[in-house]
Amino acid sequence: MDCSVLVILILQVCAVLCDENEYRLVRDLFVAYDKRVRPAVHWSQSVNTTYGVALAQIIDVDEKNQIITTNCWLNQNWLDPKLRWEPHKYGNITVIGVPFTDVWRPDVVLYNNADSTSTLTSVSSNVIIKYDGNVTWLSMSIFRSSCTIDVKYFPYDVQNCTMRFASWSFGIDQLNILSHSDEGDISNYVPSSEWALVQYRPRRQLEKFSCCPDLVPFMKYDIVIKRRPLFYLFNMVMPCVLITLVALLGFYMPPESGEKVSMGITTLLSIVVFLMIVSESLPPTSDVVPLIGLYYGVTIAIVSSATAMTVLTVNIYHKGTRGIEVPVTVKRLFFGLVARILCIKLDLPSPPYSGLTRIPSHDHCVYERSSDTDMGTQNGGLHARFPASVVPPDGGPRTCSTDAHEQQLVRVLRKVYQTIERNEIRISEQDRRDVIRQEWQQLALVIDRLMLIIFIFATVTVTLVVMVPQEYDKD
Ligand SMILES: *[C@@H]1O[C@H](CO)[C@@H](O)[C@H](O)[C@H]1NC(C)=O
Ligand SMILES: *[C@@H]1O[C@H](CO)[C@@H](O)[C@H](O)[C@H]1NC(C)=O
Ligand SMILES: *[C@@H]1O[C@H](CO)[C@@H](O)[C@H](O)[C@H]1NC(C)=O
Ligand SMILES: *[C@@H]1O[C@H](CO)[C@@H](O)[C@H](O)[C@H]1NC(C)=O
């Protein structure tokens, strides 16, 4: 019993509160309405539609597939003479909202659409109708539009993407599209972390298609965006610079370690890996070489030639073992000029060509000197008893002495002398080779240091020239 009383009470309240006017208005408006008919005042007149696209967000820029994904809020506005009423007849109602599917709508579409499922991502509920027939249709859509993305100056690129809207079936004689405002609406724009919005501007253009004689009015929205390069500098350029500098430190590595060349090769490999990551996100275009691709190319060239130079210096380092002397001009250039410029303290051996090395050529001098040095007391004694002429270095008994005893002694002495002499020659030859080897090693050191400085300079220069932010003018 209580329950039915409540229901009756509610019904009575509703009868008081619920306004019959709106029901009546909608019923009256749509009783003779056909949404298939273009709402022109006269058949020959066109319907004026204002079109506005507010950019809400840049969701994604796909460089590889050349697609830009944007979230846009659409505002379309037209006059429908069939949807007019006099407000005082309907309880002063001036505005109503009806589902957008119930009224005629202009078939404005995105011409450079790149998504087959775009209708699924659009949101629109009602159209707002004013008593004078002014219909406003607000909707939201995620557009995937094709856009020629120019990656020449990647990651300092500026992209100019245009969204082109027009009616698919009506020419300007049936449907005239006008701009909602002269300025692009970015009042609801959510800034992107990857792109900075430089410009958003609508423009209206008439175009003609091959199919039909009619001109078609287009609303075009230019989205000019500039990439924020920090991500790429931090993740792609900086590692590349560091790896290159580490590779160049190979010049600083002593050749004995045997790692000089393999270090260059390893570095080369890691740079190529980075290059692959970069090129994965860029369109496979052959029109232009992107700035970052150029940078990687130059870096690879630098590291390759550095590795080649390392091979050269390792070769030079070991050249001394063959006993070939360093050419005088090379010595003068590198030990004199280059070493002084680079402030390298050379560890050059003193020339060994004094003293013992001359034994074979100058007998007297040698004999006396050798007696002065290692043969010390022994030779000194001999020297006292036998003048130099008695013990000729080159052998052959002379007629100096007839005494057999002495002759025997002389022979023994000669033998001893020859042995010593041979030994000395060997040692001096060894010394000479040591000196030559040391000179080649020092030469390798100087060249290494020179290359280190040249290549570091080249790397820094290339990095600064290519990668320091600068305003690249678009062409
Ligand atoms: C449409 O707009 C044009 C120019 O803005 C105007 O000349 C024309 O009268 C308008 N047509 C209607 C039906 O309002
Ligand atoms: C409608 O507006 C008119 C004038 O503004 C007023 O006189 C009238 O009472 C209003 N009607 C209703 C139902 O509010
Ligand atoms: C419709 O109303 C809006 C404001 O509500 C106005 O800006 C627009 O010009 C009107 N359109 C026509 C065709 O009168
Ligand atoms: C973007 O491109 C359109 C058409 O290609 C051009 O009219 C417009 O001036 C360009 N905008 C900028 C800022 O370059």
Side-chain angles (χ1 to χ4, degrees), residues 303-318:
V303 175
S304 304
S305 45
T307 311
M309 287 311 295
T310 307
V311 172
L312 197 76
T313 54
V314 169
N315 185 322
I316 287 174
Y317 184 88
H318 291 290

Side-chain angles (χ1 to χ4, degrees), residues 283-315:
T285 172
S286 290
D287 300 340
V288 289
V289 177
L291 204 61
I292 197 161
L294 193 74
Y295 177 68
Y296 273 88
V298 172
T299 304
I300 288 174
I302 285 178
V303 175
S304 304
S305 45
T307 311
M309 287 311 295
T310 307
V311 172
L312 197 76
T313 54
V314 169
N315 185 322

Side-chain angles (χ1 to χ4, degrees), residues 41 45-48 79 176 178:
V41 178
Q45 283 191 349
S46 73
V47 176
N48 281 351
L79 271 183
N176 189 9
L178 303 162

Side-chain angles (χ1 to χ4, degrees), residues 76-294:
Q76 299 177 71
N77 198 272
W78 65 94
L79 271 183
D80 196 331
K82 285 278 187 296
L83 297 177
R84 285 188 176 142
W85 71 90
E86 284 164 33
H88 64 84
K89 285 190 185 169
Y90 298 97
N92 287 353
I93 293 176
T94 53
V95 175
I96 57 166
V98 296
F100 72 102
T101 47
D102 289 350
V103 298
W104 177 90
R105 281 162 291 140
D107 62 338
V108 178
V109 296
L110 178 69
Y111 265 62
N112 55 337
N113 187 17
D115 191 0
S116 53
T117 60
S118 66
T119 48
L120 297 179
T121 51
S122 66
V123 172
S124 65
S125 53
N126 285 342
V127 291
I128 314 291
I129 307 173
K130 266 165 88 178
Y131 66 93
D132 59 351
N134 184 333
V135 184
T136 303
W137 181 26
L138 302 170
S139 62
M140 187 209 88
S141 190
I142 290 172
F143 289 119
R144 279 163 60 78
S145 52
S146 54
C147 169
T148 313
I149 291 171
D150 177 12
V151 290
K152 185 172 178 189
Y153 297 120
F154 180 91
Y156 297 109
D157 48 341
V158 174
Q159 303 298 343
N160 181 357
C161 289
T162 303
M163 290 195 289
R164 303 161 65 230
F165 294 95
S167 165
W168 193 258
S169 55
F170 294 127
I172 193 168
D173 291 338
Q174 289 109 41
L175 185 69
N176 189 9
I177 301 178
L178 303 162
S179 181
H180 193 262
S181 66
D182 295 336
E183 295 289 315
D185 185 356
I186 49 170
S187 51
N188 296 301
Y189 179 69
V190 179
S192 156
S193 60
E194 194 186 349
W195 295 91
L197 186 68
V198 177
Q199 193 187 65
Y200 179 65
R201 201 166 48 89
R203 66 202 155 88
R204 183 171 176 272
Q205 250 178 8
L206 297 178
E207 282 186 19
K208 203 168 175 1
F209 291 97
S210 54
C211 72
C212 329
D214 278 357
L215 283 171
V216 177
F218 267 89
M219 278 311 303
K220 299 189 176 177
Y221 292 85
D222 295 330
I223 304 172
V224 180
I225 47 179
K226 192 167 183 288
R227 195 189 298 274
R228 296 166 72 182
L230 184 65
F231 173 84
Y232 296 95
L233 291 184
F234 197 79
N235 287 293
M236 289 174 180
V237 176
M238 199 187 69
C240 184
V241 174
L242 293 183
I243 288 173
T244 312
L245 290 181
V246 168
L248 297 187
L249 280 185
F251 282 126
Y252 203 73
M253 199 186 256
E256 297 91 354
S257 70
E259 293 281 332
K260 273 173 94 86
V261 177
S262 59
M263 184 164 167
I265 300 289
T266 314
T267 316
L268 214 53
L269 214 62
S270 54
I271 291 179
V272 170
V273 169
F274 266 106
L275 179 63
M276 281 168 71
I277 295 174
V278 172
S279 57
E280 235 167 49
S281 65
L282 298 181
T285 172
S286 290
D287 300 340
V288 289
V289 177
L291 204 61
I292 197 161
L294 193 74

